[in-house]
Amino acid sequence: MNDRAQLQELRDDLYDRLAQLDIAGESVAAAHLDAAVTLLNRSIELLPTATEME
């Protein structure tokens, strides 16, 4: 599995956890996790694709 796919899998897991925190009413923790997901999304966008590396 490549770095991009691993990061995308992590992002999806974080979105699941974010939904759980929202449901549980943990708004502060959810806000922090949302910020982390936003940063992770930006990191994924900045990674070069396989075609760009060739």
Side-chain angles (χ1 to χ4, degrees):
M1 187 179 280
N2 66 29
D3 290 340
R4 182 180 295 271
Q6 288 175 325
L7 288 174
Q8 288 171 331
E9 185 177 321
L10 174 61
R11 179 200 55 206
D12 294 343
D13 290 343
L14 290 173
Y15 275 131
D16 290 342
R17 182 65 181 136
L18 180 58
Q20 292 171 354
L21 288 171
D22 262 350
I23 290 169
E26 297 288 341
S27 59
V28 173
H32 286 288
L33 188 54
D34 185 51
V37 170
T38 300
L39 290 173
L40 181 57
N41 273 329
R42 185 66 181 135
S43 297
I44 291 170
E45 291 170 5
L46 293 174
L47 280 175
T49 63
T51 55
E52 290 173 339
M53 294 187 69
E54 291 178 350

